[in-house]
Amino acid sequence: MPFNFIQMSDPQFGMYASVSSYSEEEVEERRQRGILMRKASEPIIGFADETRLYTRAIDKANSLKPDFVVVCGDMIHHTGDDAEIAELFRITDMLDESIPIHWVSGNHDVGESPTSESIALYRQKFGADNYSFDHADCHFTVINSSVASDPSNVPNEWDRIVQFLGDDLAAARRAGAQHLVLLVHHPLFNERADEGEGYFTIPPERRDVIMGILRDNEASAVFAGHMHRNNYANDGKLLMITTGAVGYPLGSDPSGVRLVTVDESAITHRYYPLAEPPM
Ligand SMILES: [Fe+2]
């Protein structure tokens, strides 16, 4: 310590084309809910926008030289789409080979209501969806928050996550980790841990279970994505940091990545927009 890592989220290959097919009414209906989509001037085919933005995100990582990169979900838009995954991995290969990359599953990667089949396909393509790793006396835990969002098809997966999270954080605490950090796709909450149901957040019933484990083990921070805009909140000393998209923005924050600095006393962070290069 100290060390840096980069958090990215939602490169979401395929989203620009998908959104470009929305009607004026569909765009307006989402804007009413605070989801700031823009009517495309013409239909988009392919994923040139995602390629440009994710390439810039990887370039940014190569220049900032973090200890590792984490991508907090929605790597692709259409669950299991081979072309989207191939393009994601083609660009990921440009990341300096000394920088490890960790994947977190998002709702577009495993489906809004994950099934054992969609989770199995994800594991085949990206590896485990629930796992942890250590770096410089800090412990990072990744869970499949789409299961926490809707476990109806896979109740056993939710039970496994609760068991895993409790055991994993307690073991890291016993081992003397300086910081415990949770990496997820869905934010746990927007403003307060006791707020009601929200469009983007984990429902209170299961949020409370996760929060209980985080509080019991004095976790330092949760990093999430999914909202395609930045949002910052806390629960006592626990930071709840939601990071805007590498891909299509749904708020006023531009596409970007977050550089996080960890030292013994604090976790600090800064959002780097993926600005257009000078003409
Ligand atoms: Fe998402």
Side-chain angles (χ1 to χ4, degrees), residues 242-278:
T242 304
T243 291
V246 166
Y248 194 104
L250 292 175
S252 53
D253 303 301
S255 302
V257 303
R258 184 175 303 285
L259 181 69
V260 184
T261 302
V262 183
D263 70 22
E264 280 84 356
S265 60
I267 295 178
T268 52
H269 51 92
R270 176 179 162 191
Y271 189 69
Y272 283 82
L274 298 169
E276 297 291 331

Side-chain angles (χ1 to χ4, degrees), residues 73-107:
D74 284 358
M75 283 73 82
I76 57 166
H77 191 71
H78 300 99
T79 309
D81 186 283
D82 285 330
E84 293 173 6
I85 293 173
E87 182 66 348
L88 174 87
F89 286 162
R90 182 186 71 79
I91 299 165
T92 303
D93 279 346
M94 295 183 219
L95 181 65
D96 190 299
E97 60 186 21
S98 67
I99 304 173
I101 190 162
H102 302 283
W103 304 111
V104 179
S105 62
N107 54 305

Side-chain angles (χ1 to χ4, degrees), residues 9-10 12 72-74 106-109 112 146 185-186 200 225-228:
S9 196
D10 304 87
Q12 211 155 327
C72 277
D74 284 358
N107 54 305
H108 284 271
D109 305 310
E112 296 290 334
S146 301
H185 181 62
H186 298 72
F200 284 107
H226 188 47
M227 292 175 71
H228 296 228

